[in-house]
Amino acid sequence: YPVLMAADILLYDAEVVPVGKDQIQHLEITRDIAGSFNHIYPDSFTIPESKLDERVMIVSGTDGQKMSKSYDNYIDIFLPDNKLKKQIMGIQTDSTSLEDPKDPESCNVFNIYKLIASTNQTDVLRVKYEAGNFGYGHAKKELYDLICKKYSSEREKFNHLMDNTDIIEKELQKGADKARVIAKKVISRIRSNIGYNS
């Protein structure tokens, strides 16, 4: 996988690559591969730099681990309403009773909520957690409502595109055509540098 990732980066002369904290080592492998190749065949590959967003190091999943499709602990904001609600209601929480105050920072629901909510919305939810008489079911409902409201236009566009997949195909083809032009230049440069011109 790291070598495939390196190929995807180097083939398109990427200069800056946005990565998560867990992918920095993959970018370092890419830089090592490009640097070693350039040492033998100068000016072949662009050496990419990483761009790390310090605000979003690890996004908590529905089970508190890192959110990942492979862990099946993610929230698909494009699901139909009933399926989205079921996914959110499945977020793991502790057994603190409805009446008791709760620690928002240790709650998976709150940690997902604060990623997409405004500071004011987050503060309001925090007060509800700490006051008591506010259950995790209430918090999940607030998360569901926030997702539906915040991403309403995106969800609408998604449904439109799923009903009109020819639009997606056209855009993918445009992207492939653009990428092909860049890739051909890189491959041509590499072949020239290593003396393979046929």
Side-chain angles (χ1 to χ4, degrees):
Y1 173 74
V3 174
L4 288 173
M5 183 176 171
D8 283 340
I9 293 167
L10 298 174
L11 184 59
Y12 302 105
D13 271 345
E15 295 176 358
V16 178
V17 181
V19 292
K21 187 178 181 183
D22 59 330
Q23 292 190 321
I24 289 175
Q25 69 273 21
H26 292 160
L27 194 67
E28 287 306 313
I29 291 170
T30 302
R31 289 172 53 82
D32 289 345
I33 290 169
S36 296
F37 196 94
N38 284 354
H39 181 72
I40 301 167
Y41 304 105
D43 303 318
S44 292
F45 289 118
T46 299
I47 308 288
E49 298 291 333
S50 62
K51 181 176 182 182
L52 184 67
D53 188 339
E54 296 290 343
R55 295 169 303 163
V56 185
M57 299 302 276
I58 291 180
V59 175
S60 292
T62 56
D63 58 359
Q65 296 185 77
K66 174 192 163 193
M67 189 178 282
S68 170
K69 272 198 167 186
S70 57
Y71 296 156
D72 194 28
N73 66 353
Y74 64 98
I75 294 174
D76 183 349
I77 65 168
F78 298 112
L79 286 173
D81 289 352
N82 58 338
K83 290 185 178 178
L84 175 61
K85 186 177 278 189
K86 184 177 179 183
Q87 200 172 52
I88 290 170
M89 290 302 171
I91 297 174
Q92 292 179 17
T93 54
D94 63 32
S95 57
T96 306
S97 70
L98 171 73
E99 298 77 19
D100 292 334
K102 293 159 192 66
D103 175 18
E105 297 303 329
S106 66
C107 176
N108 297 331
V109 181
F110 184 84
N111 286 326
I112 295 168
Y113 184 93
K114 73 180 180 181
L115 285 172
I116 57 176
S118 68
T119 303
N120 184 56
Q121 288 171 318
T122 302
D123 290 343
V124 168
L125 188 61
R126 183 188 308 278
V127 168
K128 290 179 181 180
Y129 266 76
E130 293 171 347
N133 290 314
F134 182 78
Y136 291 121
H138 297 115
K140 291 173 183 181
K141 172 79 167 57
E142 295 218 11
L143 175 60
Y144 169 75
D145 290 343
L146 175 66
I147 288 173
C148 288
K149 184 175 181 182
K150 183 168 181 126
Y151 299 110
S152 61
S153 64
E154 290 83 355
R155 285 163 54 85
E156 192 176 311
K157 286 175 190 172
F158 176 83
N159 290 328
H160 174 71
L161 289 171
M162 289 300 100
D163 292 337
N164 299 277
T165 54
D166 57 311
I167 299 171
I168 298 171
E169 289 303 322
K170 284 177 189 170
E171 290 303 313
L172 288 172
Q173 190 56 53
K174 278 193 224 171
D177 292 343
K178 186 177 177 183
R180 195 174 296 111
V181 170
I182 298 167
K184 279 185 178 178
K185 283 183 187 173
V186 173
I187 290 171
S188 176
R189 183 176 70 231
I190 302 301
R191 285 182 168 176
S192 175
N193 287 355
I194 66 176
Y196 180 79
N197 294 313
S198 58

